[in-house]
Amino acid sequence: MKQIVKLFLVVIITAAAASSITWLVANQQNSPAVSASDDQKFNKLMSTYEKISKQYYEKVDDQKLVDGAIKGMVEALGDPYSTYMDQEEASGFQQNISSSFEGIGAQVEEKNGQILIVAPLKGSPAEEAGLKPHDQILKVDDKSVEGMNVNEAVTHIRGEKGTNVKLVLNRAGVGQVEVTIKRDTIPIETVYSKLTDNKIGEIQITSFSESTSSELTKAIDELKQKGAKGFVLDLRNNPGGLMDQAISMSNIFVDKGKTIMQVESKDGQKEVIKAEEDKSVSEPVVVLVNEGTASAAEIMAAALHQSSDIPIVGQKTFGKGTIQQPEQYSDGSSVKITIAKWLTPDGSWIHEKGIQPDVKSELPDYASLPYLDPEKEYKQGDSGNDIKVVQQMLNALGYKVTANSLFDEKTEEAVKAFQSDNGLTEDGVIKSDTTSGIMAKLQEKLAKNDSQMKEALDVLKKEM
């Protein structure tokens, strides 16, 4: 490979902390050394440190001063993907590439000073609670996240299995949503596959971890053995992962010598990463994306589209086009700095723009309805936005009511009808099992009426 590719060993791309592509330096022998004693600016920094240490009226923690100085320098870059992590935050960051971790299973990032959901992981408590891409986190357990960087926010959100965390979110078009989520062990299982009756292999890739490439290869082989005639690669709500996995997985669908991605350094120099082996999939393929498709997932989508003419279906992707390099200090803390841009095969930079699909497709409106807390109770006479959400859910399930934000007599009748149909106590009150039942039925309906997947299958059939 060329110079930049040789200089860096791809290690992590994780949106759990910052939806970032991360490269680890493998050889730093040629890195320029910086001498603080030779630089007046660093003398100024040391002078301030000494002044605080000697003259501040209370005893100070030297480590906190050093951490604060580093954090301040990194924050001065104005780049949400460059960050300093103390020991606790760095430990959480490292967990993102392990086989499992304890938390809610939501990938988050910082953008324009806001802490946003990139995507919930498949089967996670965050997905079950209805978290959506671009939900803005306002509070964690009644503590405002304003002023926090993404790693600080993640530290508050994560916790031991079985404990609860309360999030206050702002959702576009809905307003504030309050969600209580029980933390759990989040396994990093990344590839799910099935064969349709029409011999089409549906493959969902939820992130790019250490084993994803081998998982994908195994899934494709098994589907082929069952007679698969084409594949839909579902990258929806995939926040990224290991970059080397994204490259090797793209090579499965991109012929040897064709471009997978480009890397542009700060001096404008571009290095091209090309497929090193002949592709192993010759069957027709379609890629399915949405606004939660980010970073390494965007690398793969763009590579398959531009270098193998594979169509993309769904919604515009997230738009993350920079590369970060982490470095760990001896005390366990670390710093992660943006060092380059990544470009699509044709040289486009999709940062904050995303990738536009060839065929646009949206999910039904009820797919974006917010989560309802089963511990809350809603009954006749109540009013407010939560009641309107209840009414919209009932309508989506076929129990027709007017979504007027008032829990009126007709709404109560619809609730009793739902309870009767599902073997629940017919009291007309929405709480506990009734709330959970309504949301479970909505998820079942969405799974059966996945309009985006249906569109992708229709496009694939035209390619076959």
Side-chain angles (χ1 to χ4, degrees):
M1 292 188 182
K2 296 186 179 180
Q3 183 179 359
I4 289 183
V5 180
K6 288 181 180 178
L7 184 60
F8 297 104
L9 169 65
V10 177
V11 176
I12 309 166
I13 161 180
T14 170
S19 185
S20 61
I21 294 178
T22 308
W23 285 11
L24 179 67
V25 172
N27 185 345
Q28 292 182 322
Q29 292 180 354
N30 297 322
S31 299
V34 178
S35 173
S37 61
D38 295 335
D39 194 317
Q40 186 175 357
K41 294 186 290 293
F42 283 92
N43 288 336
K44 178 180 178 181
L45 179 63
M46 287 302 300
S47 176
T48 304
Y49 167 78
E50 291 175 0
K51 184 176 182 67
I52 293 174
S53 297
K54 294 177 180 178
Q55 299 183 20
Y56 187 67
Y57 81 106
E58 289 182 339
K59 185 177 181 179
V60 297
D61 185 326
D62 286 350
Q63 187 60 53
K64 285 186 177 180
L65 291 181
V66 173
D67 287 348
I70 298 173
K71 184 173 292 188
M73 281 192 287
V74 176
E75 289 178 352
L77 297 172
D79 173 22
Y81 302 108
S82 296
T83 183
Y84 171 73
M85 294 171 277
D86 61 25
Q87 290 93 329
E88 182 179 4
E89 294 165 350
S91 175
F93 178 76
Q94 290 300 319
Q95 288 181 30
N96 294 326
I97 60 171
S98 67
S99 59
S100 66
F101 61 91
E102 293 185 350
I104 66 170
Q107 311 284 357
V108 303
E109 67 117 25
E110 181 184 350
K111 187 174 184 180
N112 298 326
Q114 298 178 341
I115 306 298
L116 303 175
I117 300 293
V118 176
L121 298 179
K122 181 179 177 65
S124 68
E127 183 184 56
E128 293 174 1
L131 267 61
K132 306 293 182 184
H134 297 296
D135 279 351
Q136 179 190 356
I137 300 174
L138 302 177
K139 294 181 180 180
V140 180
D141 288 333
D142 296 322
K143 183 178 180 64
S144 173
V145 301
E146 185 176 358
M148 290 186 188
N149 63 39
V150 69
N151 296 297
E152 292 171 325
V154 166
T155 299
H156 288 286
I157 295 170
R158 278 188 171 166
E160 293 184 4
K161 175 182 177 179
T163 60
N164 290 332
V165 60
K166 183 173 71 174
L167 303 181
V168 177
L169 310 168
N170 183 51
R171 179 171 297 167
V174 176
Q176 286 197 14
V177 178
E178 186 176 300
V179 183
T180 299
I181 307 175
K182 180 177 287 188
R183 300 178 177 100
D184 202 347
T185 299
I186 311 299
I188 309 300
E189 186 177 357
T190 60
V191 177
Y192 303 80
S193 63
K194 69 177 183 179
L195 188 69
T196 70
D197 293 338
N198 295 321
K199 298 297 183 180
I200 293 174
E202 294 181 10
I203 303 176
Q204 182 182 19
I205 305 170
T206 59
S207 63
F208 294 78
S209 71
E210 294 173 345
S211 62
T212 306
S213 183
S214 59
E215 287 181 52
L216 176 60
T217 299
K218 180 180 178 182
I220 291 172
D221 289 343
E222 290 177 350
L223 290 169
K224 282 186 176 182
Q225 290 174 9
K226 295 177 181 178
K229 299 177 181 178
F231 300 95
V232 174
L233 297 182
D234 188 355
L235 298 180
R236 290 177 296 178
N237 293 333
N238 184 322
L242 297 175
M243 186 172 168
D244 61 344
Q245 298 288 301
I247 293 172
S248 64
M249 290 161 65
S250 296
N251 203 157
I252 296 173
F253 306 92
V254 175
D255 264 327
K256 183 176 181 179
K258 289 193 174 182
T259 301
I260 291 177
M261 64 178 293
Q262 299 184 49
V263 177
E264 182 177 338
S265 59
K266 66 187 299 182
D267 62 3
Q269 180 184 359
K270 295 179 182 177
E271 300 294 339
V272 179
I273 299 176
K274 296 184 177 182
E276 297 184 336
E277 300 175 4
D278 289 327
K279 66 182 182 181
S280 58
V281 172
S282 57
E283 293 82 1
V285 178
V286 167
V287 175
L288 184 56
V289 301
N290 69 356
E291 57 190 358
T293 304
S295 216
E298 292 174 295
I299 289 176
M300 186 173 182
L304 271 57
H305 178 58
Q306 294 184 6
S307 293
S308 289
D309 296 322
I310 291 174
I312 298 176
V313 176
Q315 298 165 287
K316 184 181 74 171
T317 63
F318 187 83
K320 170 68 178 63
T322 56
I323 297 170
Q324 283 68 43
Q325 170 192 312
E327 182 173 348
Q328 189 166 17
Y329 298 114
S330 59
D331 65 356
S333 62
S334 65
V335 65
K336 180 162 59 71
I337 302 295
T338 299
I339 59 168
K341 303 175 182 178
W342 72 261
L343 311 176
T344 63
D346 69 2
S348 299
W349 193 37
I350 57 93
H351 193 63
E352 297 185 349
K353 300 175 185 176
I355 299 170
Q356 289 287 355
D358 300 295
V359 179
K360 293 184 179 180
S361 179
E362 304 283 339
L363 289 174
D365 290 342
Y366 63 80
S368 62
L369 289 175
Y371 172 85
L372 290 176
D373 189 345
E375 295 184 5
K376 290 186 176 181
E377 180 177 299
Y378 308 98
K379 60 184 183 299
Q380 186 174 348
D382 291 343
S383 61
N385 188 63
D386 281 354
I387 304 305
K388 184 175 182 179
V389 170
V390 167
Q391 293 166 332
Q392 290 172 318
M393 288 181 173
L394 289 168
N395 276 319
L397 293 173
Y399 302 91
K400 300 302 181 183
V401 294
T402 302
N404 57 7
S405 303
L406 175 64
F407 201 129
D408 52 21
E409 185 176 350
K410 289 186 176 180
T411 301
E412 183 181 62
E413 290 174 359
V415 173
K416 287 182 178 179
F418 174 84
Q419 292 170 330
S420 176
D421 291 343
N422 292 277
L424 301 169
T425 302
E426 298 176 40
D427 58 6
V429 178
I430 295 180
K431 64 177 181 180
S432 188
D433 290 345
T434 298
T435 306
S436 299
I438 290 174
M439 291 190 294
K441 288 296 181 182
L442 274 180
Q443 288 299 317
E444 290 177 14
K445 182 175 181 179
L446 183 60
K448 294 177 181 178
N449 297 278
D450 187 341
S451 53
Q452 291 178 330
M453 178 58 76
K454 289 181 179 179
E455 186 70 56
L457 292 171
D458 288 342
V459 172
L460 182 62
K461 290 172 184 176
K462 294 176 183 178
E463 297 285 319
M464 295 173 68

